[in-house]
Amino acid sequence: KAALEVALDELDREIDDLSQQCEALRKERSDLEAARAVLDDLREEASRLEGRRNRLTSEIADLEKREADLAGRRAEEAQLRASLTALHQRKDDLDSAVTRLEARRERLGGDGAVGENQFLLLQDIQQFPACLGIPAISAKAPVPESDAIATVEKYLKGCGLDYDHRTIKAFHTCLKINDHAQITVLAGVSGTGKSMLPRRYAEAMGIHFQQIAVEPRWDSPQDLLGFYNYIEQIYRATDLARLLVHMDPYRSIPLENSAPNRRSHMALVLLDEMNLARVEYYFSEFLSRLEVRPRLAEADDENRRKNAMIPIDIRGYDKPLALYPAHNVLFAGTMNDDESTQALSDKVLDRGNIIQFAAPKKFNAPAANRIPALPADAMPFTTWKGWIRPAEALRDNLEQVDQYVSKLASIMEKCGRPFGHRLREGILAYAANYPRPLSGGLDVRYAVADQVEMRILPKLRGLEIDRHLSEIADLETLLRNDLSDPLLADRLNEVVERQTRGTGLFVWGGLTRASS
């Protein structure tokens, strides 16, 4: 009995354990059923999300198709606008042609053969250049210089062009001082954006742009302006000659009253790859005429303009004729640094600013070339004149700039490359016309450093480095300490060290500043 009772107790305990296990299993089963319900809910939610994703994918595909359709329509609209503009231009050309023919008919009825002969002699040089067609209307209100430069920077970025703010200001200032530096040359290896900067700058400013491709065979001013054809007995003019005629505010060569008026506008002429031929052969006389032009404030005096007139040979006309390169026509040029080109002479270096583009050290992915809309209005010459300041505008900074010029003169004298009053006046004009910050203050150090880069360093071409290490060190110290341009000083050291290991002769390699 005792044994049975012990066995019975063990069975009771076993029953209790089994009961607890059954309870635990029931609870686990309940939890599993709850989890299964949650899982079913999640599967149902996932199914709903998958359906929503499919709908969104379909909507995105529809939107992309609509976007492509809109892009096609925009391109079609742009083509239609271009066609409409071309038609308007064609209409204007035809209207001008009709007016000229009517004037010709009147002359034939009046002066007879003499009037017709005089008309034919000037017919070619009086043709209206295509580059002056658009924009046709001058802006009414003057634009602040800072706003105009900001517009240029925005336009360049919109074109996918990456130029440093200081480079843009330097190019702008070089064009402003054409009384002291008659041409701005952009030099460097091919493909560094030399031609694009003046073109897009002119477009953004509302300045007419004429690009002239220089050919290796050019050897006289006739290649630039045209010549008298003895067989046809007519003067065959170039686009540059026609542009000068239509931009001349003093009507040095007569135009018909019906000709479009562009005398109050601005134009920028680019001599592309100007050193394919000897610049002195085809541009020397032209450059001399630009140099002897009266100052802008004195240009209304006909007697002062005489020395700047460029005579043209039109046989049979009843009086001598000459072109006047007015101040509203700016000149720039590009030159590639390779074995097929010619070096610039001291005459050109003394009368121009050389912006040297360095070869790129890294290559970024090309930006999308989406050219923004062109300005609707042309830059009035009166606005441009309002931006130009005399050297006296430096006021308190004049003595400081002269101190820098004196140090540069001493260094260049020791290098055997002295300069005269013309270069000093050019540096003063550049510093006076350098765009001022919105705060109104003027720090002339950047301006003078620019002039060292554009006018001093190119003149050191061919200098024996070993014999002039002291002068080069003085120049580097001036740039770094006095003019606060360590980037230019470092670049000078880099060029000197590399060329010391090479030919031992100095050739300025240019500087490309990082865009901001």
Side-chain angles (χ1 to χ4, degrees), residues 179 250 292-306 324 327 385:
D179 259 346
Y250 309 106
V292 299
R293 279 185 311 189
R295 293 289 186 250
L296 182 57
E298 304 170 340
D300 289 335
D301 188 339
E302 183 178 359
N303 291 324
R304 293 181 180 272
R305 295 199 305 271
K306 286 183 178 178
Y324 179 67
H327 287 82
K385 287 193 297 184

Side-chain angles (χ1 to χ4, degrees), residues 11 33 40 92 97 117 145 169 174 187-188 227 266 274 280 292 351 401 454 460 503:
L11 289 173
E33 289 175 349
D40 291 340
D92 293 341
N117 182 53
E145 186 176 19
K169 290 170 65 175
C174 290
F227 64 95
M266 296 283 298
M274 60 183 296
E280 295 77 16
V292 299
R351 292 159 179 80
V401 176
M454 292 186 285
L460 295 178
T503 62

Side-chain angles (χ1 to χ4, degrees), residues 394-411:
L394 287 172
R395 297 187 180 89
D396 298 337
N397 300 108
L398 182 58
E399 183 178 354
Q400 180 186 4
V401 176
D402 263 332
Q403 290 176 356
Y404 296 146
V405 173
S406 296
K407 291 183 179 181
L408 289 171
S410 176
I411 293 172

Side-chain angles (χ1 to χ4, degrees), residues 164-174 177 352-356 404 408 423 426-427 430-431 433-435 443-458 478-479 483-485 487-489 508 511 513:
D164 174 58
H165 175 68
R166 189 164 160 184
T167 301
I168 297 171
K169 290 170 65 175
F171 180 70
H172 171 74
T173 308
C174 290
I177 63 168
N353 286 292
I354 315 298
I355 302 178
Q356 184 83 28
Y404 296 146
L408 289 171
L423 185 55
I427 294 176
Y430 187 94
N433 284 278
Y434 197 74
D443 189 347
V444 297
R445 293 177 298 176
Y446 285 163
V448 177
D450 281 353
Q451 287 291 276
V452 172
E453 179 183 351
M454 292 186 285
R455 308 202 72 170
I456 299 297
L457 294 178
L478 176 66
L479 290 170
L483 301 180
S484 298
D485 197 338
L487 185 63
L488 182 55
W508 175 235
L511 169 64
R513 300 180 186 272

Side-chain angles (χ1 to χ4, degrees), residues 251-498:
R251 293 273 184 122
S252 303
I253 290 182
L255 283 174
E256 297 177 355
N257 293 329
S258 60
N261 182 4
R262 296 294 184 267
R263 299 184 298 277
S264 62
H265 291 194
M266 296 283 298
L268 174 59
V269 177
L270 178 68
L271 301 176
D272 197 23
E273 299 193 43
M274 60 183 296
N275 62 333
L276 279 179
R278 296 288 300 185
V279 179
E280 295 77 16
Y281 291 166
Y282 70 89
F283 195 60
S284 179
E285 180 183 357
F286 198 100
L287 192 59
S288 297
R289 302 288 179 174
L290 290 175
E291 184 184 10
V292 299
R293 279 185 311 189
R295 293 289 186 250
L296 182 57
E298 304 170 340
D300 289 335
D301 188 339
E302 183 178 359
N303 291 324
R304 293 181 180 272
R305 295 199 305 271
K306 286 183 178 178
N307 290 334
M309 302 297 290
I310 306 172
I312 56 175
D313 180 20
I314 299 185
R315 303 295 174 89
Y317 200 74
D318 57 7
K319 61 179 181 179
L321 292 172
L323 296 168
Y324 179 67
H327 287 82
N328 58 350
V329 180
L330 311 173
F331 289 89
T334 66
M335 53 180 286
N336 288 334
D337 295 336
D338 57 47
E339 66 281 355
S340 67
T341 58
Q342 308 287 339
L344 296 181
S345 67
D346 286 342
K347 178 175 182 176
V348 179
L349 293 177
D350 281 345
R351 292 159 179 80
N353 286 292
I354 315 298
I355 302 178
Q356 184 83 28
F357 287 78
K361 294 183 178 179
K362 61 179 181 178
F363 298 88
N364 300 321
N369 189 17
R370 297 179 180 177
I371 300 178
L374 296 174
D377 299 328
M379 162 77 71
F381 185 47
T382 52
T383 297
W384 183 266
K385 287 193 297 184
W387 296 344
I388 299 175
R389 294 180 287 271
E392 292 76 15
L394 287 172
R395 297 187 180 89
D396 298 337
N397 300 108
L398 182 58
E399 183 178 354
Q400 180 186 4
V401 176
D402 263 332
Q403 290 176 356
Y404 296 146
V405 173
S406 296
K407 291 183 179 181
L408 289 171
S410 176
I411 293 172
M412 295 298 285
E413 178 73 25
K414 294 175 183 177
C415 289
R417 308 291 172 88
F419 60 81
H421 296 288
R422 181 190 294 111
L423 185 55
R424 172 191 176 265
E425 291 177 0
I427 294 176
L428 291 178
Y430 187 94
N433 284 278
Y434 197 74
R436 286 162 167 74
L438 295 177
S439 59
L442 176 62
D443 189 347
V444 297
R445 293 177 298 176
Y446 285 163
V448 177
D450 281 353
Q451 287 291 276
V452 172
E453 179 183 351
M454 292 186 285
R455 308 202 72 170
I456 299 297
L457 294 178
K459 289 176 69 67
L460 295 178
R461 184 184 183 94
L463 186 76
E464 295 183 27
I465 296 175
D466 288 342
R467 295 180 56 187
H468 298 282
L469 290 176
S470 176
E471 290 78 16
I472 294 174
D474 291 341
L475 184 57
E476 185 269 335
T477 300
L478 176 66
L479 290 170
R480 188 180 304 278
N481 298 337
D482 295 5
L483 301 180
S484 298
D485 197 338
L487 185 63
L488 182 55
D490 291 342
R491 176 60 176 164
L492 175 61
N493 279 338
E494 177 187 343
V495 171
V496 169
E497 290 176 3
R498 185 176 68 248

Side-chain angles (χ1 to χ4, degrees), residues 20-31:
Q20 292 176 2
Q21 292 178 11
C22 287
E23 187 63 29
L25 289 173
R26 289 192 190 96
K27 184 176 181 182
E28 185 177 352
R29 177 183 177 184
S30 177
D31 292 340

Side-chain angles (χ1 to χ4, degrees), residues 71-100:
R73 292 180 182 178
R74 281 196 296 268
E76 184 179 354
E77 181 184 2
Q79 292 177 352
L80 290 174
R81 288 183 181 276
S83 300
L84 182 61
T85 302
L87 289 174
H88 281 305
Q89 182 62 43
R90 178 62 176 163
K91 178 180 178 298
D92 293 341
D93 293 341
L94 290 174
D95 289 341
S96 299
V98 169
T99 304
R100 288 195 299 271

